[in-house]
Amino acid sequence: MTRRQGMFLGLISTIFTLGALAVGAPYLGVEFLLRRNSPIVSSAKPVLIRGRWADDYFVVENIDEGTFAIGEPRYYQGNYSYLLVGRARALLFDAGTGSRDIVPVVRSLTALPVTVIPSHLHFDHVGALGRFERTALLDLPELRARADGGRLTLQRYEFLGFGDDLPPPRFAVDEWWADGARIDLGGRSVQVLATPGHTLSSVSLLDREHRLLLAGDFLYPGPLYAFVPGASRARYLATTRQLLRLLDPATRILTAHMAEDPAGARAPLMECEDLRALEHTLLAIDTGRATSTGWFPRIYPVRGAMTFAIGFAWNGR
Ligand SMILES: [Zn+2]
């Protein structure tokens, strides 16, 4: 090989490597950014602004009649799951982080059969999937096609459990809930809403009568992760607009990660104004009018503690 040919090959491989890094940034990004540098469970118990301790780890907060927030404020991501109790059955939205067993807490709140549905399939929302009477998932053809014999194994970049050293789980799916389906709990019903944005298979539950939306990781008082594999800014914007059209403006939005509030812990409650602010930020990002901090991810302010975190401009469109 001549020197000129060697330089040419070197240049080609450098361009190829840089291209692969840029396109693969969401995958590389989560491999590095999701590695914890704090313990999974803190030794200190935070002060509770709302709710009561169910044991030394879980907190329970009554949102209204038959609606309970079950929090894990000592878990480093401060997750909250939600239990809706009807007359015939109960519905658990998110299955806990799995760092402690959420099953006894749920059983202490209802004797009814429980159906569990995760807001999405990341590791911090699927802890007790398969541990209740029934497990439901959003009915998406690509998920159904992978469920051989009714059991689904999560994939590495769908689950993202490497930060907590968790292997992807395998669990039985008993019910596939279509976008828009009404789920009857006996004297109470919720509507299933596909809310892609954070992930493709993200789902929310709308209880119109109680004016409650359970929104998972679509919205919460912290950095919204739109740099992870499967996240999409276009879908985030479309879902935000769909929710703004659909929701009574007085709807309380219960979300999955609590605020880092020095005053203490409570269920992360948000409102339609937060959705409006998110729409505003997403439009400003699209038109290049928004200013960000950081490099990867780039962080855009939204409202209060809520920010929007994206990868490179060409990732996660
Ligand atoms: Zn989460």
Side-chain angles (χ1 to χ4, degrees):
M1 194 190 300
T2 65
R3 211 173 130 204
R4 186 177 286 236
Q5 280 172 326
M7 277 170 63
F8 180 71
L9 270 180
L11 184 67
I12 293 291
S13 68
T14 305
I15 289 171
F16 181 80
T17 306
L18 287 175
L21 283 174
V23 174
Y27 299 91
L28 274 171
V30 289
E31 290 282 354
F32 288 101
L33 293 166
L34 297 189
R35 305 275 167 192
R36 265 174 309 104
N37 44 24
S38 53
I40 292 181
V41 176
S42 76
S43 50
K45 274 170 80 174
V47 174
L48 298 189
I49 302 173
R50 296 243 176 104
R52 60 183 168 82
W53 290 98
D55 52 27
D56 69 335
Y57 177 79
F58 286 102
V59 300
V60 172
E61 185 178 324
N62 290 50
I63 303 295
D64 59 24
E65 180 81 33
T67 306
F68 302 93
I70 302 172
E72 301 177 54
R74 290 176 58 196
Y75 179 73
Y76 69 106
Q77 296 198 66
N79 285 56
Y80 272 76
S81 305
Y82 296 91
L83 180 69
L84 307 180
V85 182
R87 280 202 289 271
R89 65 166 164 164
L91 176 50
L92 181 64
F93 185 67
D94 276 336
T97 68
S99 65
R100 294 279 176 93
D101 188 2
I102 199 172
V103 177
V105 185
V106 173
R107 297 296 184 202
S108 76
L109 295 169
T110 181
L112 293 171
V114 174
T115 302
V116 59
I117 182 166
S119 63
H120 61 296
L121 299 171
H122 287 163
F123 64 100
D124 53 321
H125 299 262
V126 299
L129 283 192
R131 305 269 317 283
F132 293 97
E133 280 79 2
R134 301 184 78 74
T135 296
L137 284 186
L138 181 65
D139 193 359
L140 293 178
E142 55 271 39
L143 284 181
R144 241 189 216 246
R146 279 170 41 206
D148 61 287
R151 296 177 77 80
L152 184 71
T153 304
L154 299 187
Q155 297 166 342
R156 181 176 181 84
Y157 293 105
E158 173 179 58
F159 177 61
L160 302 181
F162 33 84
D164 283 11
D165 301 319
L166 296 170
R170 179 172 172 80
F171 53 88
V173 183
D174 307 289
E175 299 182 23
W176 295 93
W177 290 355
D179 180 21
R182 239 166 240 294
I183 307 300
D184 185 12
L185 306 180
R188 179 177 195 180
S189 75
V190 294
Q191 191 179 5
V192 178
L193 300 176
T195 47
H198 177 56
T199 71
L200 195 58
S201 55
S202 292
V203 63
S204 299
L205 296 179
L206 176 61
D207 181 337
R208 277 186 196 277
E209 197 187 336
H210 291 78
R211 289 199 287 206
L212 287 175
L213 178 77
L214 310 183
D217 279 6
F218 189 80
L219 201 73
Y220 52 73
L224 304 181
Y225 281 12
F227 61 86
V228 296
S232 155
R233 296 200 296 283
R235 284 194 286 266
Y236 236 113
L237 179 59
T239 299
T240 302
R241 290 181 152 168
Q242 186 209 355
L243 289 175
L244 282 168
R245 277 195 302 272
L246 213 60
L247 297 184
D248 178 317
T251 302
R252 291 175 292 165
I253 305 175
L254 293 163
T255 71
H257 292 279
M258 69 180 197
E260 279 186 29
D261 186 346
R266 55 169 294 180
L269 182 65
M270 304 193 74
E271 53 184 17
C272 284
E273 271 314 304
D274 293 301
L275 281 174
R276 243 168 245 121
L278 180 58
E279 181 189 29
H280 184 84
T281 296
L282 288 166
L283 286 172
I285 294 172
D286 269 357
T287 53
R289 287 179 290 114
T291 44
S292 63
T293 54
W295 180 71
F296 195 99
R298 286 184 294 160
I299 312 281
Y300 293 87
V302 182
R303 185 179 190 230
M306 179 169 48
T307 60
F308 196 75
I310 67 173
F312 297 127
W314 53 87
N315 300 137
R317 281 177 185 283

